[in-house]
Amino acid sequence: MVTIVSIIIRINMENEIVIITRHPGLVEVLHELAPETVGAPIIDRADPTQIAGKHVYGVLPLTLACLATRVTNVTLNVPQELRGTELSADQVRQYMTELETFVVTKV
């Protein structure tokens, strides 16, 4: 029997998705917005060997983003007084403006 969870796990394995973040609130929101991220490895610091050829959810410098097949970023508009603080999932939802996916190519 095929279930939603088995489909998500299969998609995750086929696309080799990884999440790059140190923020649990962001992971919670990503799982809600992009169910294919459920079960994906969560890495707190990007390493070229862990992201090469993978669909990365998180923020990467361009020199690393070009190694990934795609990079999906949660764009946040955080007030100045909250920058540098840990945001809850509710705050991520509140300040999120969009979920954007990029393909970065080094020329």
Side-chain angles (χ1 to χ4, degrees):
M1 177 176 175
V2 176
T3 65
I4 297 284
V5 173
S6 65
I7 291 170
I8 289 171
I9 290 170
R10 191 179 80 238
I11 289 170
N12 188 349
M13 289 172 59
E14 289 172 1
N15 291 327
E16 297 191 43
I17 295 169
V18 296
I19 300 170
I20 308 288
T21 188
R22 299 182 311 267
H23 307 289
L26 180 61
V27 173
E28 183 178 329
V29 173
L30 275 176
H31 287 168
E32 293 167 5
L33 297 174
E36 66 272 17
T37 64
V38 174
I42 302 167
I43 304 165
D44 65 351
R45 291 178 188 252
D47 177 282
T49 62
Q50 295 171 308
I51 63 168
K54 297 181 182 171
H55 182 172
V56 176
Y57 284 76
V59 177
L60 291 174
L62 293 175
T63 55
L64 291 177
C66 68
L67 301 175
T69 57
R70 290 175 289 174
V71 178
T72 298
N73 179 55
V74 176
T75 305
L76 300 171
N77 186 13
V78 180
Q80 185 67 37
E81 65 271 10
L82 290 178
R83 291 184 185 170
T85 65
E86 187 64 43
L87 299 178
S88 68
D90 286 337
Q91 288 172 310
V92 171
R93 286 183 206 94
Q94 179 181 354
Y95 299 121
M96 185 181 96
T97 58
E98 60 188 318
L99 191 64
E100 302 175 288
T101 300
F102 300 90
V103 174
V104 180
T105 304
K106 183 178 178 179
V107 293

